[in-house]
Amino acid sequence: MRDIALCGVSFLLKTHNTQINYNMKRKGFISVITLIGLILSGCGGRHSASSDEDIDATLTDSITKIISAYPGEIGVAVIINNTDTVTVNDYSIYPMMSVFKLHQAIALCDYFDRFKMPLDSVISVSRNTLDAVTWSPMLKDYTESVISITVRDLLRYSLSQSDNNASNLLFKKFVNVNTTDSIISTLIPDNTFQIAYTEEQMSADHSKAYSNYTSPSGAAMIINRLFNEKVIGEEKQEFIKKTLAECTTGKDRIVSPLLDNDSIFVAHKTGSGYMANGILAAHNDVAYIILPNGVSYSLSVFVKDFNGNETEASEVIASISAMVYQLLSESSDKPNYP
């Protein structure tokens, strides 16, 4: 079945959910290269779409083929040139994990704009109040007992390196999860996402991760609005965009098939979940991409309750990214640079 939604700048989506049978066994995994080859051959090799509808149909069918080979719930959204949206399995059920740090950054910058606060404001925190075992590159760089750091640098750690201590500090010191949720609901439909817990709370109780959820279209919309519309003050918005382009995590996901082409602009935010009894709770990536031919697109891929490891989950995200890139790189449109 096809799940296509056309949207304008207002992002008034009308979608029909695509049902997929996920009762696949791990021995049925198909390699990325083999799978992409099968899909492209099924689409007649190099695809030359005569209309947006042709591209939408090819994207939907190709995504459906890819995800049907993997054991988990996988949702995808693509927004092309800020006008046309394609979704598959677009339900508001996917744990965001660290993807919510993008939402947090936008909400915090909105708060700082309203109260005319600079991102170079400095806060001090005792090292012994921070989580020494969570993912936190910041703690390796700051070795003193009392850490003094700017809000700008905390956002850099949170966005580009997905630092959990940085995110927790920003929630505690400035904008809490409830306010973050409220601010973001002014930018995208509130039924497409929910932010209810911090990284600290999810670490203490992994089940809480499922309450920080999104639909693929909701995640694609927030990054698409960031790169195509004024959502916060210009200086802070440019800072977030630049920092997302410097993201160092998840290079084996959406970014993987694009790494060798310096002429492609990619900004993205990843999220990784917990493993329990061989099931990976979540493995995600959301990105904004500009191709040399001027085509721009937002792509979100969310993997939930995956019966496999992180390498295998990254493989499905990378294969979807490779297929979308190959199809859209053959199209052309007016350049839309951030």
Side-chain angles (χ1 to χ4, degrees):
M1 294 177 63
R2 184 182 302 174
D3 181 359
I4 300 174
L6 303 181
C7 70
V9 174
S10 62
F11 296 105
L12 298 179
L13 302 177
K14 296 180 180 179
T15 59
H16 299 285
N17 292 323
T18 299
Q19 301 294 331
I20 303 295
N21 180 2
Y22 294 110
N23 296 322
M24 308 294 293
K25 296 189 179 293
R26 291 178 63 182
K27 65 181 181 180
F29 281 12
I30 301 176
S31 72
V32 174
I33 295 175
T34 302
L35 189 55
I36 296 256
L38 290 171
I39 290 168
L40 291 177
S41 64
C43 295
R46 293 182 61 84
H47 177 77
S48 178
S50 60
S51 67
D52 290 344
E53 288 78 9
D54 291 339
I55 293 177
D56 291 350
T58 302
L59 279 173
T60 303
D61 293 343
S62 298
I63 291 168
T64 300
K65 288 178 183 177
I66 291 172
I67 67 177
S68 67
Y70 292 85
E73 296 185 53
I74 303 170
V76 183
V78 190
I79 301 175
I80 307 166
N81 289 326
N82 198 31
T83 57
D84 190 22
T85 300
V86 174
T87 64
V88 173
N89 292 337
D90 192 36
Y91 312 108
S92 298
I93 59 170
Y94 298 93
M96 279 194 277
M97 306 309 301
S98 288
V99 169
F100 84 142
K101 291 169 183 170
L102 168 59
H103 304 63
Q104 179 185 20
I106 293 171
L108 183 140
C109 286
D110 177 83
Y111 176 89
F112 270 48
D113 278 338
R114 285 188 283 118
F115 289 94
K116 303 186 185 306
M117 298 167 63
L119 291 183
D120 291 319
S121 301
V122 178
I123 69 168
S124 295
V125 59
S126 296
R127 184 182 187 85
N128 60 13
T129 64
L130 302 177
D131 188 343
V133 298
T134 193
W135 172 253
S136 186
M138 177 180 70
L139 285 185
K140 296 179 181 179
D141 295 339
Y142 288 79
T143 58
E144 56 268 38
S145 59
V146 176
I147 298 172
S148 294
I149 186 170
T150 65
V151 173
R152 185 184 302 274
D153 283 339
L154 284 172
L155 282 171
R156 278 201 187 96
Y157 278 111
S158 179
L159 288 173
S160 67
Q161 298 187 61
S162 210
D163 192 293
N164 292 333
N165 275 315
S167 174
N168 289 329
L169 275 173
L170 292 170
F171 276 133
K172 289 178 180 178
K173 297 284 187 179
F174 300 105
V175 183
N176 62 29
V177 290
N178 292 333
T179 303
T180 297
D181 187 273
S182 296
I183 292 172
I184 298 303
S185 68
T186 68
L187 300 175
I188 60 176
D190 60 9
N191 65 345
T192 65
F193 80 101
Q194 176 176 280
I195 299 172
Y197 296 107
T198 66
E199 289 282 6
E200 183 178 25
Q201 292 170 312
M202 290 188 291
S203 178
D205 180 356
H206 292 180
S207 67
K208 284 182 166 61
Y210 288 86
S211 294
N212 278 6
Y213 59 75
T214 188
S215 65
S217 62
M221 277 191 281
I222 194 66
I223 199 168
N224 198 74
R225 291 205 67 180
L226 179 71
F227 279 90
N228 287 284
E229 302 176 41
K230 183 182 184 300
V231 295
I232 51 177
E234 182 178 0
E235 185 271 333
K236 293 179 179 65
Q237 186 160 336
E238 289 302 316
F239 167 73
I240 294 177
K241 289 157 64 173
K242 181 176 183 292
T243 306
L244 291 173
E246 297 168 351
C247 180
T248 61
T249 61
K251 291 293 184 71
D252 58 348
R253 303 180 205 180
I254 288 176
V255 177
S256 178
L258 314 175
L259 283 174
D260 294 334
N261 193 332
D262 292 337
S263 62
I264 298 175
F265 173 86
V266 185
H268 72 122
K269 183 70 195 79
T270 58
S272 302
Y274 309 105
M275 179 76 75
N277 300 318
I279 301 298
L280 181 61
H283 204 66
N284 314 320
D285 204 358
V286 55
Y288 186 79
I289 299 161
I290 304 172
L291 303 181
N293 63 357
V295 171
S296 64
Y297 60 100
S298 296
L299 172 62
S300 67
V301 185
F302 285 80
V303 179
K304 175 189 175 187
D305 295 340
F306 187 79
N307 188 16
N309 59 39
E310 288 191 338
T311 299
E312 293 160 339
S314 292
E315 180 182 277
V316 65
I317 297 174
S319 65
I320 290 169
S321 178
M323 182 274 299
V324 174
Y325 161 64
Q326 181 146 355
L327 179 63
L328 296 184
S329 65
E330 297 161 14
S331 303
S332 64
D333 208 331
K334 183 179 179 180
N336 186 21
Y337 295 93

